Amino acid sequence: MSLFDALSNSISGASAQSFALNNISGNIANTQTAGFKTTETSFADMLAQTEAGTQPAGGVGSSTRDTLGLQGTMQSTGVSTNLGIQGSGYFIVRANTGTDQSPTFTGQTAYTRRGDFTPDANGYLVNGAGYYLFAGPSATAPVTVPTGANTLADLSISSAGAITGTAANGSTVPLGTLTLAQFGTQENLTSLDGGAYVANGQSETPTYGLNGATLAAGSVEQSNAGIADQFSKMIETQQAYTANTKVMSTADQMLQDAIAMYA
């Protein structure tokens, strides 16, 4: 291996650690974001093709690895329309492509674990990232809670997804049943802003149903990013970055020494 190879490898190492730090910073920033899933960094060695027995060490490549299958803890909120998922699955949501006064939902279907849903002015359930909750894939309008003169005295959502209201006179008002979207290869979902995801050719077509999961009303799933864990990774990343910059400076000094020999 030449000094130029050593310099190239250390540059790729520093670049990979910079990429890892970017992911860590995002995870730390979202430790209090409901339903957030951490983005981890994967590393892979990059070796030049050489003859057997003469393979030197090479550089490193980096890529992201989502933790969609890692459950966050449930936190009680006391808000009846807040929902958490215990187990697998995603809420079916869409963004408002119209206005607040005249909302429309003609955009793509997305999926999220963020369940801090509350009614908007129209009674539609929308989470903190602006995504509206749909009961199922064929629903044409978001889940709606009666407002105005028809405001409910109480609202409950069962662990199986049945939404039931209680009118002021004590009568029961059925409001529909929620289902969840399930993916066999959820790690391949495409991420959107606000903790939502969309299907693609690698994630397969979703199936629908609870699939053993239960819904927790009055609670939300917290971020699965832990401050202590992310700080430990940050320290390791900083040390690795510093080590790579040390290799850079050493290789540079050795090159300068070599040049000086022939000056």
Side-chain angles (χ1 to χ4, degrees):
M1 176 182 288
S2 70
L3 290 176
F4 290 106
D5 290 330
L7 188 60
S8 175
N9 290 343
S10 61
I11 290 173
S12 75
S15 177
Q17 296 305 324
S18 296
F19 182 76
L21 184 62
N22 178 63
N23 288 337
I24 291 170
S25 67
N27 294 338
I28 291 175
N30 285 282
T31 53
Q32 301 301 312
T33 301
F36 177 78
K37 302 299 181 182
T38 58
T39 299
E40 303 296 335
T41 306
S42 295
F43 301 97
D45 56 340
M46 300 173 63
L47 303 179
Q49 186 174 358
T50 61
E51 295 181 5
T54 61
Q55 180 66 67
V60 62
S62 55
S63 60
T64 57
R65 177 173 57 85
D66 290 320
T67 59
L68 300 183
L70 182 60
Q71 174 90 43
T73 59
M74 288 293 172
Q75 182 179 54
S76 176
T77 63
V79 180
S80 61
T81 54
N82 284 180
L83 292 169
I85 302 173
Q86 289 276 17
S88 64
Y90 296 82
F91 297 113
I92 302 166
V93 294
R94 293 192 184 97
N96 177 12
T97 54
T99 64
D100 292 340
Q101 294 73 26
S102 181
T104 57
F105 306 95
T106 56
Q108 63 184 339
T109 299
Y111 310 94
T112 187
R113 297 277 297 193
R114 179 167 184 165
D116 54 342
F117 297 106
T118 54
D120 70 358
N122 301 295
Y124 296 145
L125 293 189
V126 58
N127 70 12
Y131 288 96
Y132 286 75
L133 177 65
F134 283 71
S138 60
T140 58
V143 175
T144 308
V145 176
T147 59
N150 298 317
T151 300
L152 298 172
D154 189 29
L155 178 74
S156 64
I157 302 174
S158 74
S159 60
I163 310 172
T164 305
T166 302
N169 61 6
S171 61
T172 299
V173 183
L175 299 173
T177 302
L178 292 175
T179 192
L180 300 177
Q182 304 284 349
F183 292 90
T185 52
Q186 60 183 346
E187 286 76 13
N188 293 326
L189 291 169
T190 300
S191 301
L192 301 177
D193 286 339
Y197 305 88
V198 292
N200 55 52
Q202 294 180 310
S203 62
E204 303 175 354
T205 302
T207 58
Y208 299 97
L210 296 188
N211 194 31
T214 57
L215 298 179
S219 300
V220 293
E221 180 183 1
Q222 294 298 291
S223 169
N224 67 3
I227 286 288
D229 177 59
Q230 294 302 316
F231 261 84
S232 295
K233 291 178 179 178
M234 183 173 64
I235 293 171
E236 293 175 0
T237 299
Q238 181 185 25
Q239 292 175 336
Y241 183 89
T242 301
N244 278 285
T245 59
K246 181 63 176 178
V247 173
M248 286 184 213
S249 61
T250 301
D252 178 65
Q253 184 60 55
M254 292 174 71
L255 283 169
Q256 295 299 324
D257 292 344
I259 292 171
M261 291 173 61
Y262 297 96

